Amino acid sequence: MAGPIPQRFLDDLLARVDIVDVVGERVQLKKAGRNHAGLCPFHQEKSPSFTVSQDKQFYHCFGCGAHGNALRFLMEYDNLRFPEAVEQLASRLGLEVPREGQDDPRAQARERQRREGVNLLELATRFFRERLTMSEGRAGREYLERRGLSPDVLRDFAIGYAPDGWEALRRHLHDQGINDAVQVEYGLLVQREDSGRVYDRFRDRVMFPIRDWKGRTLGFGGRVLGDAKPKYLNSPETPVFHKGRELYGLHEARQANRRLERLLVVEGYMDVVALAQFDIRNACATLGTSVTEEHVQRLFRLVGEVVFCFDGDAAGRQAARRALEAVLPQMIDGRQVRFLFLPDGEDPDSLVRREGTQAFRDRITCAMPLSEFLFEQAAEGRDLQRIEERERFASTVLAALKRLPEGVLKSLLLGELSKRTGIEQARFTALMADAPAGAAEAAGEPAEPATGPMAPVSQPRPRLAGALSMLDRVLQLLVHEPTLVERLPDELDWCTEGDGDGVLCREVIELLRAGRYRSPQVLLAHFHGTREGQHLEALARRELLIPRDARATEIDGLVAHFRRRRSRQTPESEYAALLAKERGGERLSREEKQRLMELLMSLNR
């Protein structure tokens, strides 16, 4: 890695760039007094609540709370890492980004290798495209002609051909001064561990470059021409390519539709390209992985509606369930998700060729809404005339709804569940309040694994990947809007230190009350470099889905929940818990010691 970017350069860069120009290239802005206004690009809205201040060089959304400077905007909107956002801003001004420690020969070597890596992927793309037009690419051209792809589509997707040789690309890149080590690191060469031999990873394959938002190649997918296995071969994980994050065809979809409103997610390269051939230019594909939350976040940054397209067989239904799990935490009001299941034996490539463009578009329009798919999966294999089966159906749906953000969609789904089960909606609401998602984890207890068709099918998620615990929701509100501390009661008896992040929550509240930490940045700086700081930063990065005018009510409700939970706890169980904590070697706080004495006296009466 290159050294850190000097702070003086960042200050100078932000002073010289105009945030209105940066944001205006991506969001349609109108002058509104001294500021500019437009529709927020970070959540779906019909009336503008997103403002950009030229005087303060700052943007802010009064709907979702998104805010920051030009660097923050590029990082959030274009999904860039901090160094990439700095590079992009600097390039606008014709500046080269300096790095501390650049006089260090080792730092220079690392930076040179990084630049070689980015450059070699572009060189490889050019090499594959050239080979497709040459005599050695005849087999590739014939394959693409049989698939009915036009020259325009081949050009737009930069499709090429990897020759049937062991060292064709390697020798070409050697001539460009790029050594084997960099080619191996970026996935173009394979190195055998036993013999040390290196050779081209992609041979005799049609090549599909996987590109970022700027059209720069990050990796490749190769489709075999014959019967060799695997049929599709992807680049491995590299410093710039991560399969669980990238989507094939997203760059091309944005190029073809500057005002995208809907994206269709399919399962293969050829599906994307074939749909483009039939003028369906809003498709993208996962790269041999299940749909992840990072995929979903990236999709919703661009559009308000996502349609997932799967085969209609058991494997397709399983993939759809995984997609549903990834989607649920992102479903703030205004977003729409639907599921399109294809007839048996068909994929998008074959179906669009058989039915034509309009028929396939009609299928997309009529795809199954998320709500219908959710209830269908929960009811699968169950006789809802039986009380026990109806209970399992309701429990399965409730488990999914706990992962939804608060909003109109969640309320409507609870109402529909009430209609289908005959149980009052208020009862379901109470059940969800009594057993919130993540409550077991917050109390330091392992959650029981869910079962049934809506149970998570992937490995357990890392913390903060899914629904937040109740204490995390309090912390997230305070990190995003520190002035909410004024809503909290003077006594912190509701925030017990035995509840997961209770100690951290108390410390954050005390710091905010001290009056020195009124901005999220200063609060995060206090915890910088600690595990607690990493946790708070993750909460700060996570989108706050609660509208600004509802946040005070939300934090009041959370405190009321903790107080209700504590009031239901018997004195005996509370005493046993505190005593076990002390005997286990943990140090009790002053409040806990006082509470322990009160409980001891009351139990001995």
Side-chain angles (χ1 to χ4, degrees), residues 144-145 147-156 159 273 276-277 281:
L144 294 170
E145 288 170 3
R147 302 302 294 261
L149 299 182
S150 67
D152 288 345
V153 168
L154 299 181
R155 179 201 63 223
D156 292 347
I159 295 172
V273 176
Q277 181 64 52
R281 290 278 188 147

Side-chain angles (χ1 to χ4, degrees), residues 299-327:
L299 291 164
F300 278 133
R301 283 195 181 103
L302 299 177
V303 296
E305 180 183 357
V306 178
V307 180
F308 293 101
C309 180
F310 297 103
D311 295 343
D313 57 12
R317 293 276 171 169
Q318 181 80 330
R321 285 192 287 270
R322 292 192 181 101
L324 181 61
E325 288 291 330
V327 160

Side-chain angles (χ1 to χ4, degrees), residues 108-127:
Q108 292 177 346
R110 288 194 297 268
E111 179 63 15
R112 185 167 56 252
Q113 187 179 37
R114 184 193 69 81
R115 291 183 179 178
E116 286 180 354
V118 173
N119 184 47
L120 78 86
L121 293 170
E122 295 302 321
L123 291 175
T125 299
R126 196 176 310 151
F127 171 82

